[in-house]
């Protein structure tokens, strides 16, 4: 029996193919089982990836640890990792919490299909064109919204076929529609028994699996170039939902929508999809509006993975000017009036859900722009801001800090005139939005003391919340830590008595830490 969506995997491992087929078979009658089988499919697929990347020794622990190791070693990017984690979490919930809807199962199947195609393109046929996803058969008792989604997928699937293939697919559907209830039930039982038998016949012990993976690793060729995980715009939104939830936001692009009545008082940190906007008199909808404590702190515009992100950010910026929010939903300090436009929200985001890659900066990353100051420049983020990140950033007084730094006297730290000039120049460059700044000082001119005074001023006026002090040797790190403990500033207080400093012994800074000293 063939699998509608995963036939291309049978050459890699029949068990991968069978797990995926079982997932499809159980969809209508038991979506929870589909989710569990898809989770197992994801675990086995990740094991094969590890073997192909010559990391079979990483297999045997938890799926979280394995995915983390593969991502850290550059085998795949954060986007692929997020897709693996999405099906892992949905499968775990189905297994341990006995949850799982047809909507969840459909999304899990779609992501399994995308991951399988990604794997085959990278380690099978680099010219492989993933086939359109074939939606599972639906019954009357399936939720109307899921049925509508299946119909849309069916239309997309048929549109991708030739005229002859469309006729054959419709004929098969017509033949299945003529089956009586008893015949259909008998056929379903036979299919299920067949898949269960095949699955039982191919069950392997952990030792056998490890041996197979070791063999794959031994025969593996050098790691090929990565290929993108291909997702459409709807699947991209589902992946972003998962990433936002991981960051601490309540998010569900299908259910938490403005049209369905979701409003910001429903949760302290929530992403509400399809929020209304007005641009040049034309109504529109931004993909997500982020609300924190009832106030709109950001807008997100998301597009499919082939879209240039900076162009999407410009669209988000337009929405930031015309988003329709009530006065009580506006963040304190907004709107932000610039020379050419006024923005009603502080943070604007754009993404196609692909992890940022410098070589493909136009087509990857989560891009953001802080609208509170006109000189701020857009930049790429490694991951979404959490609600706590947003709160911390709102505490940073970007505009007022610039004015206060200009007026701040150099009456502490015992700085020489050239050190004061260096600090003034750096602060001026920061105020202009410059991100890369180089200050060159000769040996013995007091670089450490200059940096300590600069950090103190920036922290004092909340221009930055946390600063990384990076050196190239442990001895320099220790000297810097001692200097921070001994340098007196205002009120005869040492720097480390005013702000918490994390030394080399603390690998992960705590929330209260303001300076982290580290080596490369």
């Amino acid at each position: 029996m063939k699998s509608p969506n995963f036939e291309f995997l049978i050459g890699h491992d029949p068990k991968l193919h069978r797990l995926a087929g079982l997932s499809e078979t159980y969809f209508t009658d038991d979506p929870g089982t589909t989710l569990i089988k898809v989770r197992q499919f994801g675990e086995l697929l990740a094991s094969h990836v590890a073997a192909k990347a010559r990391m079979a020794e990483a297999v045997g622990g938890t799926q979280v640890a394995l995915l983390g190791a593969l991502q850290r070693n550059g085998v795949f990017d954060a986007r692929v990792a997020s897709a693996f984690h999405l099906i892992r979490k949905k499968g775990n919930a189905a297994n341990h919490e006995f949850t799982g809807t047809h909507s969840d199962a459909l999304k899990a199947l779609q992501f399994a299909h995308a991951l399988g195609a990604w794997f085959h393109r990278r380690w099978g046929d680099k010219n492989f064109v993933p086939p359109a996803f074939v939606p599972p058969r639906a019954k009357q008792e399936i939720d109307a919204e899921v049925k509508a989604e299946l119909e849309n997928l069916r239309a997309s699937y048929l549109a991708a076929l030739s005229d002859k293939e469309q006729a054959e697919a419709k004929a098969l559907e017509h033949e299945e529609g003529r089956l009586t209830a008893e015949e259909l039930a008998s056929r379903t039982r036979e299919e299920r028994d067949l898949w269960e038998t095949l699955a039982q016949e191919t069950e392997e012990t952990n030792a056998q699996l490890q041996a197979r993976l070791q063999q794959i690793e031994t025969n593996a060729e050098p790691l090929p170039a990565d290929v993108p995980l291909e997702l459409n715009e709807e699947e991209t939104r589902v992946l972003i939902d998962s990433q936002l939830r991981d960051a601490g936001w309540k998010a569900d692009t299908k259910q938490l929508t403005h049209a369905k009545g979701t409003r910001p008082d429903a949760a302290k940190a929530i992403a509400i999809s399809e929020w209304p906007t007005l641009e040049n008199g034309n109504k529109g909808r931004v993909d997500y509006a982020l609300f924190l404590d009832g106030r709109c702190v950001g807008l997100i515009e998301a597009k499919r993975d082939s879209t240039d992100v900076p162009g999407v950010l410009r669209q988000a910026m337009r929405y930031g000017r015309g988003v329709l929010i009530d006065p009580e939903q506006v963040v304190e300090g907004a709107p932000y009036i610039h020379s050419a436009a006024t923005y009603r929200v502080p943070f604007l985001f754009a993404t196609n859900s692909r992890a940022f890659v410098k070589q493909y900066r136009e087509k990857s990353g989560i891009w953001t722009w802080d609208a509170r100051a006109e000189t701020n420049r857009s930049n790429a983020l490694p991951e979404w801001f959490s609600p706590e990140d947003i709160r911390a950033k709102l505490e940073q007084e970007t505009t007022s800090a610039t004015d206060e730094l200009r007026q701040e006297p150099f009456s502490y730290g015992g700085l020489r005139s050239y050190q004061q000039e260096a600090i003034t120049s750096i602060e001026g460059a920061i105020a202009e939005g410059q991100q890369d700044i180089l200050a060159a000082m000769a040996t013995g001119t007091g670089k450490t003391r200059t940096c300590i005074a600069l950090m103190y001023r920036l922290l004092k006026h909340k221009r930055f919340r946390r600063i990384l002090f990076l050196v190239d040797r442990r001895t320099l790190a220790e000297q810097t830590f001692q200097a921070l403990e001994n340098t007196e500033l205002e009120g005869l207080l040492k720097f480390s008595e005013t702000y918490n400093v994390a030394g080399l012994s603390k690998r992960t800074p705590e929330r209260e830490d303001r300076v982290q000293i580290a080596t490369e």
Side-chain angles (χ1 to χ4, degrees), residues 104-377:
D104 291 334
L106 180 59
K107 290 295 178 291
L109 281 172
Q110 288 178 274
F111 276 92
H113 177 252
L115 285 169
W118 166 82
F119 178 79
H120 186 56
R121 285 180 64 204
R122 191 169 186 191
W123 281 286
D125 178 5
K126 66 179 180 180
N127 298 317
F128 174 66
V129 178
F133 178 77
V134 183
R137 292 195 301 270
K139 290 185 179 179
Q140 288 300 119
E141 58 267 24
I142 287 182
D143 179 81
E145 189 171 321
V146 179
K147 286 194 70 175
E149 191 171 348
L150 286 169
E151 285 301 313
N152 289 335
L153 286 171
R154 177 180 176 275
S156 299
Y157 164 65
L158 291 175
L161 302 178
S162 65
D163 292 342
K164 180 181 178 181
E165 290 170 330
Q166 285 189 34
E168 292 173 350
K170 290 178 179 177
L172 179 60
E173 288 183 356
H174 178 70
E175 181 63 28
E176 289 179 343
R178 294 175 55 194
L179 294 173
T180 66
E182 287 187 5
E183 289 172 328
L184 189 58
S186 175
R187 178 170 171 174
T188 301
R189 284 195 300 271
E190 290 174 0
E191 290 176 355
R192 181 177 298 177
D193 290 344
L194 173 62
W195 283 111
E196 287 179 341
T197 300
L198 288 171
Q200 290 169 1
E201 287 175 353
T202 57
E203 280 298 320
E204 299 169 315
T205 65
N206 288 335
Q208 289 174 321
L209 175 61
Q210 191 66 38
R212 292 182 63 223
L213 295 176
Q214 290 287 358
Q215 184 179 14
I216 293 172
E217 181 184 68
T218 301
N219 298 327
E221 298 178 356
L223 189 66
D226 198 2
V227 296
L229 178 68
E230 296 189 358
L231 302 176
N232 60 34
E233 189 166 333
E234 182 183 353
E235 291 165 342
T236 298
R237 294 269 292 269
V238 172
L239 193 60
I240 292 171
D241 281 352
S242 178
Q243 294 170 346
L244 287 171
R245 286 193 293 268
D246 288 343
W249 301 90
K250 189 175 182 182
D252 186 332
T253 190
K254 288 289 188 181
Q255 301 303 322
L256 300 179
T257 71
H258 184 275
K260 290 184 177 181
T262 304
R263 296 297 181 269
D265 59 351
K268 286 187 176 181
I270 186 170
I272 302 177
S273 62
E274 301 299 326
W275 192 271
T277 65
L278 192 64
E279 182 184 354
N280 298 326
N282 299 317
K283 293 182 179 179
R285 294 186 180 276
V286 65
D287 288 332
Y288 299 88
L290 297 178
F291 287 89
L292 187 58
D293 301 326
R295 298 183 183 274
C296 188
V297 296
L299 303 177
I300 300 173
E301 189 63 16
K303 290 291 185 282
R304 64 176 299 160
D305 54 19
S306 59
T307 307
D308 288 355
V309 186
V312 183
L313 183 59
R314 288 191 289 272
Q315 183 178 351
M317 292 166 70
R318 293 196 300 271
Y319 286 148
R321 299 193 287 264
V323 62
L324 298 177
I325 51 179
D326 297 330
E328 63 271 15
Q329 295 169 341
V330 177
V331 170
E332 184 179 355
Y336 309 105
I337 303 172
H338 302 327
S339 59
T342 298
Y343 296 88
R344 305 197 69 198
V345 296
F347 302 107
L348 301 167
F349 302 90
T351 186
N352 57 12
S353 84
R354 292 180 65 179
F356 179 71
V357 179
K358 190 173 183 180
Q359 295 89 329
Y360 303 102
R361 58 184 292 114
E362 299 291 311
K363 294 184 179 295
S364 65
I366 301 167
W367 283 79
T368 185
W369 181 63
D370 184 345
R372 292 177 297 168
E374 192 168 4
T375 54
N376 287 336
R377 299 184 182 183

